[in-house]
Amino acid sequence: TGTNDSDGNVTFNDTLKFDTAGSHFYNIVETGADENGVTIDKTTYSIIVTVTDHNGALSASYVLVNAVGDTIVFNNTYTATPVSHHIDGYKTLNGRILLNDEFTFVLEEVSYNGETIENPTSLTTKNFADGSFTFPAITYTNSGTYVYRVYERIPDNTLAHAITYDTTNYYVTIVVKDNGTGNLYVDSETYTLTDASPVNTLSFLNKYTRLKLLHSSQAIKNSPEKFSVATTSTLNFMIPMQIGLKAKNLKPYKTHQTEHLSLVRLTLP
C-alpha cells in the first residue's frame, strides 16, 4: 500500500521481493469510498512483473498493461454540494391597506469588480398581504461573491392609482464559501444603497394619497354634465360610482350596472 504526498505522488511503502524466476501479475487500484465531496478514480491498472534468472542472478522488469506510457495516474474529482438561498424584503404602504400581490419587485445580478457575468440571474416577485416578499431561491454551484440590484417596478400610471412609489435601489452582496468537506454555504448577506452606505433590510415604503373631488354648485349649474375647478394640480379621468349615487344636477350614464359621472377634473390634496 501507499499514500500520496502533497504533490500527488504515490510511493508504495514496501518493495516486492522475488526468489524465483517467472511472471507475476498485479492490479493497482485506489481504495476508499466517495465522501466529503471527493469521487475517487475507479480505474484498475494491471502490471506484469517478469523475473529472469541470469546464471543465479535474478532481475525484474515490468509492463503496465493499460497505462499511457510508464505512469499510473488516478484522477479524483472534488465537487461541493450546491446551496440554495432566498433573498427577502418588506413593503410598507401608508394611507390604506396593502393588498396581496399588489407591488412587483425585481432582482438583477450585476458585475462584481468588473467581472463578466454569463447568464446573469434575473428574478421578480410580488408582496404578500403582510408586506413581506421573497424572491425565488438562487442556487449557487460555486464559491464566490455575488451582487444583485433590487428595486421596485414602477408602472406608468402611478398618478391614476394615487400611489407614490419608493425609487430606492438596493445592492445585495452574497458571499458563498466551500467548507472543504463537500458543501457550499452562504457565509454572509449584506445590503447597501447606491452610495455604498450599509442598511439592515430591503425595505420599500409607498404612500397612498386619496384623491379629492372638488365641486362648486355654480360650476355644476353652469355645466351639469361637466364641471371643473381651477387648481394648480389637476387630473382628468373617469370616476366609477355605485348605483344610487345622488349628485344634484349631474347626469350619470349607465354601463354594466354601474353609474359613472362624466369626465371631471380632480385635484390632489
Side-chain angles (χ1 to χ4, degrees):
T1 61
T3 57
N4 65 281
D5 60 20
S6 59
D7 294 324
N9 299 313
V10 177
T11 300
F12 289 99
N13 53 20
D14 201 354
T15 58
L16 296 174
K17 296 180 179 180
F18 306 95
D19 54 12
T20 59
S23 296
H24 305 270
F25 301 89
Y26 302 92
N27 287 332
I28 300 176
V29 298
E30 182 175 0
T31 59
D34 297 340
E35 58 184 358
N36 297 326
V38 177
T39 302
I40 65 171
D41 191 330
K42 307 300 192 299
T43 303
T44 297
Y45 291 95
S46 296
I47 183 172
I48 302 173
V49 178
T50 302
V51 178
T52 305
D53 187 342
H54 300 278
N55 297 322
L58 299 178
S59 64
S61 62
Y62 69 89
V63 175
L64 295 176
V65 176
N66 56 335
V68 177
D70 196 33
T71 304
I72 296 175
V73 177
F74 291 94
N75 290 309
N76 293 358
T77 58
Y78 174 81
T79 304
T81 300
V83 61
S84 295
H85 183 71
H86 292 275
I87 295 175
D88 306 319
Y90 196 80
K91 157 59 65 180
T92 300
L93 177 62
N94 288 344
R96 68 163 171 79
I97 295 176
L98 177 67
L99 303 178
N100 189 59
D101 288 344
E102 185 170 6
F103 300 104
T104 301
F105 305 90
V106 181
L107 178 148
E108 296 175 340
E109 188 173 4
V110 297
S111 177
Y112 174 71
N113 289 340
E115 297 176 353
T116 301
I117 304 174
E118 294 184 5
N119 302 316
T121 300
S122 180
L123 302 171
T124 60
T125 190
K126 292 180 178 291
N127 64 279
F128 295 104
D130 65 357
S132 63
F133 63 85
T134 301
F135 288 101
I138 302 172
T139 299
Y140 300 96
T141 57
N142 294 290
S143 58
T145 299
Y146 302 84
V147 181
Y148 308 93
R149 181 169 72 104
V150 176
Y151 59 93
E152 183 173 2
R153 179 176 292 166
I154 302 177
D156 295 332
N157 56 343
T158 57
L159 189 58
H161 290 88
I163 299 291
T164 301
Y165 280 76
D166 191 328
T167 60
T168 304
N169 283 274
Y170 291 100
Y171 290 86
V172 182
T173 301
I174 303 291
V175 178
V176 178
K177 292 186 177 182
D178 188 335
N179 67 359
T181 57
N183 292 288
L184 296 177
Y185 67 98
V186 175
D187 182 64
S188 64
E189 177 179 350
T190 55
Y191 315 114
T192 57
L193 300 175
T194 303
D195 62 1
S197 59
V199 293
N200 294 324
T201 59
L202 303 179
S203 181
F204 295 88
L205 173 61
N206 288 0
K207 180 181 180 182
Y208 170 78
T209 304
R210 185 184 299 275
L211 295 174
K212 293 184 178 180
L213 174 63
L214 301 183
H215 63 278
S216 166
S217 58
Q218 184 62 37
I220 295 175
K221 181 178 179 180
N222 293 338
S223 181
E225 293 185 358
K226 297 181 179 180
F227 69 92
S228 65
V229 178
T231 62
T232 57
S233 178
T234 59
L235 171 67
N236 295 324
F237 62 96
M238 305 300 297
I239 302 180
M241 299 294 183
Q242 299 297 320
I243 294 177
L245 172 70
K246 295 181 180 179
K248 185 177 180 180
N249 294 329
L250 293 181
K251 296 182 179 180
Y253 67 92
K254 295 181 179 180
T255 174
H256 301 295
Q257 299 184 354
T258 301
E259 295 188 348
H260 292 69
L261 293 179
S262 298
L263 182 66
V264 298
R265 178 173 292 173
L266 300 181
T267 185
L268 296 173

